[in-house]
Amino acid sequence: MTVTLADVAARARVSPATVSRVLNGNYPVAASTRERVLRAVDDLDYVLNGPASSLAAATSDLVGILVNDIADPFFGIMAGAAQTEIGGPGDGSGRAGGEKLAVVCNTGGSPERELTYLTLLQRQRAAAVVLTGGAVEDPVHQAAVSAKLAKLADAGTRVVLCGRPPLPDGEAVVAALAFDNRGGGRRLTEHLLSLGHRRIGYVAGPLERTTTRHRLEGHRDAMRAAGLLGGGTGAAGRPTDGYDEERLTVHGPYDRRSGYDATLELLRREPEVTAIVAANDTVALGACAAVRDRGLRIPEDISVAGFDDLPFSVDAVPALTTVRLPLFEAGARAGRLAMGKETPPPGGIATIAAELMVRGSTAPPRA
Amino acid sequence: MTVTLADVAARARVSPATVSRVLNGNYPVAASTRERVLRAVDDLDYVLNGPASSLAAATSDLVGILVNDIADPFFGIMAGAAQTEIGGPGDGSGRAGGEKLAVVCNTGGSPERELTYLTLLQRQRAAAVVLTGGAVEDPVHQAAVSAKLAKLADAGTRVVLCGRPPLPDGEAVVAALAFDNRGGGRRLTEHLLSLGHRRIGYVAGPLERTTTRHRLEGHRDAMRAAGLLGGGTGAAGRPTDGYDEERLTVHGPYDRRSGYDATLELLRREPEVTAIVAANDTVALGACAAVRDRGLRIPEDISVAGFDDLPFSVDAVPALTTVRLPLFEAGARAGRLAMGKETPPPGGIATIAAELMVRGSTAPPRA
DNA sequence: CTGTTAGCGCCTTCAA
DNA sequence: TTGAAGGCGCTAACAG
């Protein structure tokens, strides 16, 4: 019923080995023979048996791209860019030669699902894995992920991190491309401070996420440098949490709803707030809605800022002040690194700059 | 080096077949034996060899979800929902039992890549394939896709269409869930007409896409019913294109840039336009920006409407009048159908209703 | 309930 | 440049 390599070989009057060789293009084959084989392939409408081939070769053409939320363009842009580099242009024949199957896996931000996907990819003997976006900081989970990645690397899978901080023991990883979330967060808040804001509310992402923590730390660095935070140092050498620090920060998921609710909460806690910094642009959109629903104007009454500079941010009204992350470029680079098409940065680690984008949603506070 | 089933069997003092049975859970195994095997698996940190297993079983646990644009939440929402239904909740152990590997493939709207992905999935002996979003109407490509899907179905792959019209010969497909784009488009324009609009510009999607065509047809149906279009019939029985019809329609990709540019063009062609209907919400956002940049107010000077009701649409200023598509529900249902967890609709075809959402971006035209 | 026995379809030395 | 042969690791009948 189903056509096999042997059928093609028979029709082309060559041995199965020869057919395999022309299909994989790894060995020299006479042009005339190759021609004949290719014709037989087309005639028979032959499609390689992936599992059989992967079993024999001990490697597959599957490349996994893990994302935290596939409905969020933040991840979609990176994943799409990576896929473009990995999948190659395709030859338009639909014949699918030696191409990789670049594939995105949605963890939904769940550590369990992340591990499950890694195991599934390991099981498939994936050629490469790209992990995008912030990591969960639970030590148990981090250890599990590290161990899993080590095993993957051990089995020949190339592992690349994109928009995620390097592993403690980075040996397992081809490269880690980390966004400068901290620097971006700091510059954003510095911008607000320079406009004259002093009471700034912060709508943070979920707890225990590297992205959340780094952006928040950048914000607090700036606040502290301006003398607006209790700058004391606690027992473990970590800054003590000042009163305002806690009171002016609300955590929640990276979605608009969270931005809306958290902003209402901030406004309740501290009506004198003159600016709201959101964990990302989507959250900022929700924050804007909340501000407006409270009868306040942006930026006259309250400034609002986001992070990421997603495509829609420039269309917000007023256009959103935010921090641009080169998502597409980073994703593409991660894809190339995963394919070995690009040499890894020194030490396997690169920090990707974040650029402040000042637009209409921020302005000096009212006098 | 790498642990195999035989190693586990040896350690558990059973035959390889028994190990296979407990891992797949398809055959009865004594509880004590199972226990022993599972312990051996954990001790050895064994991971099933997917390719070998797929080869022997002639089927894999891979499920492909094809999307036109992974950076567009329209697809992300559907794909995420489908993945949730397919991947199952996971057991939290990261051990990855009999779970499916739900995976999304980004065609970028390219017919070639769509075919390539289908071939790759066929090569992997995918358990199921879900095709989301509008199809390209080129007959050659459609025939190629149909043929490919027939072959997939033939090999036991379950094929489901989600947000895509049924195939001409629907035999290959488990189920087709089609959005009522035409009805939604019609009702949206009827809403505008009822407000008193007469000169309505239309920013359409790319040519040759079913989604584009159906939405546009709905719009024109409404216009024609209102006597606003040359309702003549041409040689081939197709409606002749009236002057306004052509002049008030501009095609472009489904992105904000296209909405921006097309709206400027429409405003140039016909300054008397009082409403703009966009192909989708993203395009509508660009349209809003263009309208404002021209110094016009929404909705006082010009009404703007979108399609899809993506999450950000309610946060636009003013909130976007649009047509809601139950993307999450549709994606989840497609996922269930792909897994055989839900019985297909009668005839394998279901039309999913589109709901008009009237919000602040539309109002009566100026007197 | 469990072991034995054949392959699944392909890649890859090794020879020719 | 090509053919022959063995085995990749697992599953699926059959027996028992």
Side-chain angles (χ1 to χ4, degrees), chain B residues 10-104:
Chain B
R11 189 172 225 280
R13 311 176 146 280
V14 294
S15 73
T18 299
V19 178
S20 172
R21 293 198 260 256
V22 344
L23 256 25
N24 293 317
N26 299 329
Y27 279 84
V29 173
S32 63
T33 311
R34 141 192 265 82
E35 190 91 358
R36 209 143 29 90
V37 169
L38 253 18
R39 187 136 22 89
V41 166
D42 279 348
D43 289 351
L44 265 34
D45 216 11
Y46 171 69
V47 175
L48 193 66
N49 183 317
S53 149
S54 296
L55 172 58
T59 170
S60 85
D61 51 7
L62 194 69
V63 175
I65 302 168
L66 267 62
V67 301
N68 288 340
D69 182 4
I70 200 178
D72 185 340
F74 175 83
F75 292 101
I77 291 169
M78 281 194 290
Q83 233 174 359
T84 301
E85 290 290 338
I86 293 166
D91 63 356
S93 74
R95 211 188 290 127
E99 296 156 28
K100 300 291 180 203
L101 209 200
V103 116
V104 359

Side-chain angles (χ1 to χ4, degrees), chain A residues 68 72 75 109 134-137 181 201-217 219-220 246 248-260 262-263 266 276-284 305-308:
Chain A
N68 287 340
D72 186 340
F75 292 100
V136 171
E137 296 206 289
N181 283 311
Y202 194 96
V203 182
L207 281 166
E208 300 218 317
R209 300 297 265 287
T210 52
T211 305
T212 300
R213 182 165 62 78
H214 291 153
R215 292 181 184 180
L216 184 51
E217 283 175 357
H219 167 70
R220 289 184 175 171
E246 285 307 329
L248 291 181
T249 303
V250 176
H251 286 270
Y254 283 116
D255 59 29
R256 83 158 287 270
R257 174 64 182 276
S258 158
Y260 188 92
T263 298
L266 284 171
I276 302 270
V277 177
N280 71 14
D281 290 349
T282 305
V283 172
F307 210 111
D308 293 344

Side-chain angles (χ1 to χ4, degrees), chain B residues 5-356:
Chain B
L5 233 206
D7 299 328
V8 176
R11 189 172 225 280
R13 311 176 146 280
V14 294
S15 73
T18 299
V19 178
S20 172
R21 293 198 260 256
V22 344
L23 256 25
N24 293 317
N26 299 329
Y27 279 84
V29 173
S32 63
T33 311
R34 141 192 265 82
E35 190 91 358
R36 209 143 29 90
V37 169
L38 253 18
R39 187 136 22 89
V41 166
D42 279 348
D43 289 351
L44 265 34
D45 216 11
Y46 171 69
V47 175
L48 193 66
N49 183 317
S53 149
S54 296
L55 172 58
T59 170
S60 85
D61 51 7
L62 194 69
V63 175
I65 302 168
L66 267 62
V67 301
N68 288 340
D69 182 4
I70 200 178
D72 185 340
F74 175 83
F75 292 101
I77 291 169
M78 281 194 290
Q83 233 174 359
T84 301
E85 290 290 338
I86 293 166
D91 63 356
S93 74
R95 211 188 290 127
E99 296 156 28
K100 300 291 180 203
L101 209 200
V103 116
V104 359
C105 307
N106 183 32
T107 66
S110 146
E112 291 78 31
R113 287 187 64 76
E114 180 168 275
L115 274 178
T116 300
Y117 268 122
L118 287 176
T119 301
L120 252 14
L121 258 6
Q122 178 186 12
R123 173 189 293 187
Q124 300 294 336
R125 305 301 189 251
V129 170
V130 178
L131 292 153
T132 66
V136 171
E137 295 204 291
D138 171 46
V140 174
H141 177 245
Q142 283 202 317
V145 169
S146 287
K148 187 59 91 180
L149 292 182
K151 248 164 259 154
L152 278 162
D154 222 58
T157 299
R158 297 175 63 87
V159 179
V160 175
L161 270 31
C162 179
R164 170 178 298 220
L167 262 39
D169 168 17
E171 294 312 308
V173 160
V174 169
L177 308 178
F179 293 129
D180 183 17
N181 283 312
R182 188 163 184 153
R186 183 169 43 69
R187 282 192 295 283
L188 180 58
T189 295
E190 284 169 356
H191 157 68
L192 255 11
L193 291 167
S194 77
L195 287 174
H197 293 276
R198 288 302 173 266
R199 303 201 72 73
I200 303 176
Y202 194 96
V203 182
L207 281 167
E208 301 219 318
R209 300 298 265 287
T210 52
T211 305
T212 299
R213 182 165 62 80
H214 293 152
R215 291 182 183 179
L216 184 51
E217 283 175 358
H219 166 71
R220 290 183 173 170
D221 286 351
M223 294 296 277
R224 194 172 296 113
L228 293 172
L229 241 48
T233 298
R238 291 167 43 205
T240 53
D241 288 340
Y243 174 65
D244 283 339
E245 193 160 329
E246 285 307 329
R247 202 162 68 109
L248 292 181
T249 303
V250 175
H251 286 271
Y254 282 116
D255 60 29
R256 82 158 289 270
R257 175 64 182 276
S258 157
Y260 188 92
D261 293 344
T263 298
L264 290 184
E265 170 66 19
L266 285 170
L267 256 21
R268 193 175 313 122
R269 287 189 195 169
E270 177 54 78
E272 300 301 303
V273 152
T274 63
I276 303 270
V277 177
N280 71 12
D281 290 349
T282 304
V283 173
L285 236 45
C288 288
V291 167
R292 267 191 301 267
D293 283 1
R294 280 306 226 62
L296 300 167
R297 290 163 307 163
I298 304 169
E300 292 82 357
D301 299 315
I302 291 202
S303 289
V304 176
F307 210 111
D308 294 343
D309 195 25
L310 295 186
F312 62 75
S313 303
V314 72
D315 287 323
V317 181
L320 210 54
T321 290
T322 185
V323 176
R324 161 166 293 186
L325 256 25
L327 299 174
F328 190 91
E329 294 76 7
R333 189 170 172 197
R336 271 177 268 128
L337 286 163
M339 299 298 287
K341 292 199 284 190
E342 179 174 322
T343 56
I349 298 177
T351 298
I352 295 178
E355 181 190 1
L356 178 65

Side-chain angles (χ1 to χ4, degrees), chain A:
Chain A
M1 180 59 235
T2 135
V3 183
T4 75
L5 233 207
D7 298 328
V8 176
R11 188 173 227 280
R13 312 175 147 279
V14 295
S15 74
T18 299
V19 177
S20 171
R21 293 198 259 255
V22 346
L23 255 27
N24 293 318
N26 298 329
Y27 280 82
V29 173
S32 63
T33 313
R34 142 190 264 83
E35 190 91 358
R36 208 139 34 88
V37 169
L38 254 17
R39 188 136 22 85
V41 166
D42 279 348
D43 289 350
L44 265 33
D45 217 9
Y46 170 69
V47 175
L48 192 67
N49 183 318
S53 144
S54 296
L55 172 58
T59 171
S60 86
D61 51 9
L62 194 68
V63 174
I65 302 168
L66 267 62
V67 301
N68 287 340
D69 182 3
I70 199 178
D72 186 340
F74 175 83
F75 292 100
I77 291 169
M78 280 193 290
Q83 235 174 358
T84 301
E85 290 290 339
I86 293 166
D91 63 355
S93 74
R95 209 189 290 128
E99 296 157 29
K100 299 291 180 204
L101 209 200
V103 116
V104 0
C105 307
N106 183 32
T107 67
S110 146
E112 291 78 33
R113 289 187 63 77
E114 179 169 276
L115 273 178
T116 301
Y117 268 121
L118 287 176
T119 301
L120 252 13
L121 257 7
Q122 178 185 12
R123 173 189 292 188
Q124 299 294 336
R125 306 299 190 253
V129 170
V130 179
L131 292 152
T132 66
V136 171
E137 296 206 289
D138 172 47
V140 173
H141 177 245
Q142 283 202 317
V145 168
S146 287
K148 187 60 92 181
L149 292 183
K151 249 164 258 154
L152 278 162
D154 221 58
T157 300
R158 298 175 62 88
V159 179
V160 174
L161 269 30
C162 179
R164 168 176 302 220
L167 262 38
D169 169 17
E171 292 314 307
V173 160
V174 169
L177 308 178
F179 294 129
D180 183 18
N181 283 311
R182 188 163 185 152
R186 184 169 43 68
R187 281 192 294 283
L188 180 58
T189 295
E190 284 170 354
H191 157 68
L192 255 11
L193 290 168
S194 77
L195 288 173
H197 293 276
R198 288 301 173 266
R199 303 201 72 73
I200 303 176
Y202 194 96
V203 182
L207 281 166
E208 300 218 317
R209 300 297 265 287
T210 52
T211 305
T212 300
R213 182 165 62 78
H214 291 153
R215 292 181 184 180
L216 184 51
E217 283 175 357
H219 167 70
R220 289 184 175 171
D221 286 350
M223 294 296 278
R224 194 171 298 113
L228 293 171
L229 240 48
T233 298
R238 293 167 42 206
T240 53
D241 289 339
Y243 174 63
D244 283 338
E245 193 160 329
E246 285 307 329
R247 202 161 68 108
L248 291 181
T249 303
V250 176
H251 286 270
Y254 283 116
D255 59 29
R256 83 158 287 270
R257 174 64 182 276
S258 158
Y260 188 92
D261 293 344
T263 298
L264 289 185
E265 171 65 18
L266 284 171
L267 257 19
R268 193 175 313 122
R269 287 190 196 169
E270 177 55 76
E272 301 300 305
V273 152
T274 62
I276 302 270
V277 177
N280 71 14
D281 290 349
T282 305
V283 172
L285 235 46
C288 287
V291 167
R292 268 190 300 268
D293 284 1
R294 280 305 227 66
L296 300 168
R297 292 163 304 163
I298 303 169
E300 292 81 355
D301 299 315
I302 292 202
S303 289
V304 176
F307 210 111
D308 293 344
D309 195 25
L310 296 185
F312 62 74
S313 303
V314 71
D315 288 324
V317 180
L320 210 54
T321 290
T322 186
V323 176
R324 159 166 296 185
L325 257 26
L327 299 173
F328 189 91
E329 294 76 7
R333 189 170 171 197
R336 270 176 271 131
L337 286 163
M339 299 299 288
K341 291 200 282 190
E342 179 174 320
T343 56
I349 297 177
T351 298
I352 294 178
E355 181 190 2
L356 178 65
M357 307 294 287
V358 176
R359 295 201 273 247
S361 70
T362 52
R366 303 168 58 138

